[in-house]
Amino acid sequence: MKKQFPKSIVDEDKYNRFDRRDNVFGRIKNDEEAPFYQQGTYDRIDKVLNKEDGYSSFELARAIGGWSVYDYFTEAFEPKTPDKDKNIMDKPILSPPSKDPEVLTKETKKAAKAYGVSSVGVTKVDPRWVYTKDREGNPLDHLLNYDYAVVMIVPIKPETIRESPGFSAARASAVSYSKMAFIISCMSEFIRHLGYKAAPMGNDGALSIPLAMDAGLGRLGRNGLLVSSKLGSCLKICKVFTDMEMVEDEPVDSPLLDQCHSCKLCSSACEVDAISTRTEPEIETACPSNNRGIIRWPVDHYRCYQFWLENGSDCSSCIAACPFTPD
Ligand code: SF4
Ligand code: SF4
């Protein structure tokens, strides 16, 4: 019987499936009450461009260039093979030589590694992590029809993240999103060409962090992010939901990172005090974008995003400060 993490940090009476329109990026678009309503990260760029080292036009252009595959290859995240007319040749749907879940799991993980993930895990889909609606308000209940999730870690270069909050750290993050589009599309086609369904997702569709925790890929840190023993929080998470039967991984030994009780380096690194400094995790929320009913160190995503607006770019200073971030 699989251990029930991270369910142990969920208050069943208070937790509801999350609506993606309620996170900061959803509220930029939908919530007139949000202080950053309809304000994009680059809206105040004129105030920060070339103000000091790390904020040059060249650096910003490199960061924007880093997004290009993610931005333009949107079919990577579609639940079907891209339009066949665009393909040079039709590719066969194969029948796997074995349908043994252990073999399918081993071969699927081998594929993920071949495409460039740093770690991969498998879990059954816990319906509670599936968003109720996407950012446009479309229902996502169809994702509940998938039984398994292949959860993958896309690495980000730690040495560049350490340059946060300058634009080069934003480039490292952007490049990892573009790598995600490559990896997720390869993985989905691998699964589909073995005759199974595959619904690829980045940050969309379902909450990535609890899925990754269920798949044994790390713990939740004070910084509100997944912390893995190998990469700290220098990572992005993507996942493919599938009907292919696999063998689940066990979650790590506890859902919250124990060191965070005393460490607090991420809180000190945050210029806008967005990260809790309390020793113990709590169920109280820090802003309207926190989902309710989770016992953790809450992060004020409103403050965080307002810093991004001032910075003219995203920030990773809490990741850079973490002792789990590799050299
Ligand atoms: S990303 Fe930057 S602003 Fe946001 S919580 Fe981390 S350190 Fe603070
Ligand atoms: S910096 Fe310290 S407190 Fe913050 S996530 Fe890392 S280990 Fe936890």
Side-chain angles (χ1 to χ4, degrees):
M1 179 80 177
K2 182 168 164 156
K3 279 186 257 167
Q4 296 296 298
F5 292 134
K7 289 179 186 169
S8 61
I9 54 168
V10 177
D11 181 328
E12 302 290 346
D13 295 332
K14 294 191 176 138
Y15 184 80
N16 287 309
R17 277 172 60 204
F18 199 63
D19 183 330
R20 197 164 184 235
R21 291 173 298 179
D22 288 342
N23 74 15
V24 161
F25 297 103
R27 287 176 190 275
I28 291 169
K29 194 170 173 186
N30 301 303
D31 182 2
E32 292 181 26
E33 306 288 317
F36 41 77
Y37 176 57
Q38 296 199 336
Q39 292 180 43
T41 313
Y42 304 119
D43 284 7
R44 301 180 199 167
I45 198 67
D46 288 347
K47 294 196 175 117
V48 293
L49 211 50
N50 301 314
K51 69 170 183 176
E52 56 189 81
D53 279 356
Y55 287 85
S56 74
S57 306
F58 284 128
E59 280 297 1
L60 182 59
R62 274 192 280 272
I64 292 170
W67 280 104
S68 57
V69 178
Y70 181 85
D71 284 345
Y72 301 135
F73 183 25
T74 52
E75 286 171 320
F77 298 92
E78 292 292 326
K80 60 180 177 52
T81 297
D83 187 353
K84 281 254 196 292
D85 290 345
K86 291 185 189 164
N87 288 342
I88 298 168
M89 61 187 83
D90 280 346
K91 299 181 179 72
I93 303 296
L94 306 158
S95 181
S98 167
K99 295 197 175 176
D100 178 341
E102 282 196 20
V103 174
L104 293 171
T105 305
K106 186 171 155 228
E107 294 295 335
T108 299
K109 288 184 175 180
K110 193 171 169 184
K113 292 274 179 148
Y115 298 136
V117 305
S118 66
S119 315
V120 51
V122 171
T123 181
K124 279 198 172 167
V125 175
D126 184 327
R128 282 178 300 180
W129 314 144
V130 177
Y131 290 129
T132 53
K133 300 220 166 104
D134 68 14
R135 225 181 257 163
E136 282 68 46
N138 302 307
L140 291 172
D141 285 353
H142 60 92
L143 291 172
L144 300 171
N145 296 328
Y146 294 90
D147 288 330
Y148 289 88
V150 183
V151 189
M152 290 163 285
I153 299 297
V154 183
I156 315 177
K157 273 189 171 176
E159 62 271 29
T160 320
I161 285 296
R162 288 191 198 285
E163 292 170 24
S164 174
F167 294 151
S168 52
R171 182 233 312 152
S173 181
V175 167
S176 68
Y177 273 113
S178 279
K179 283 184 181 164
M180 179 194 291
F182 168 80
I183 289 166
I184 205 82
S185 56
C186 294
M187 278 304 287
S188 302
E189 286 297 279
F190 163 78
I191 292 170
R192 287 176 193 135
H193 283 270
L194 290 172
Y196 298 97
K197 289 184 190 158
M201 285 162 264
N203 295 337
D204 55 318
L207 293 164
S208 291
I209 296 173
L211 279 166
M213 292 162 73
D214 276 341
L217 296 171
R219 303 178 181 87
L220 181 61
R222 177 182 291 277
N223 57 9
L225 302 169
L226 185 80
V227 183
S228 84
S229 53
K230 202 160 132 191
L231 289 173
S233 297
C234 265
L235 55 87
K236 302 288 178 202
I237 308 167
C238 57
K239 63 265 182 186
V240 182
F241 283 10
T242 181
D243 57 349
M244 180 166 66
E245 190 181 350
M246 284 180 285
V247 179
E248 285 188 273
D249 286 292
E250 283 289 334
V252 289
D253 53 3
S254 67
L256 298 179
L257 188 63
D258 198 38
Q259 287 86 339
C260 299
H261 285 88
S262 56
C263 170
K264 304 181 188 178
L265 282 172
C266 51
S267 314
S268 309
C270 180
E271 296 189 30
V272 288
D273 299 329
I275 301 175
S276 167
T277 53
R278 294 198 180 175
T279 300
E280 293 303 323
E282 56 190 323
I283 199 153
E284 276 73 34
T285 55
C287 75
S289 279
N290 291 153
N291 51 352
R292 294 175 201 284
I294 304 281
I295 300 153
R296 49 44 170 131
W297 294 278
V299 174
D300 188 332
H301 298 293
Y302 273 40
R303 282 188 184 207
C304 172
Y305 185 65
Q306 282 170 290
F307 179 73
W308 289 24
L309 288 171
E310 280 169 33
N311 192 48
S313 173
D314 51 82
C315 162
S316 300
S317 299
C318 46
I319 299 174
C322 182
F324 286 87
T325 293
D327 292 333

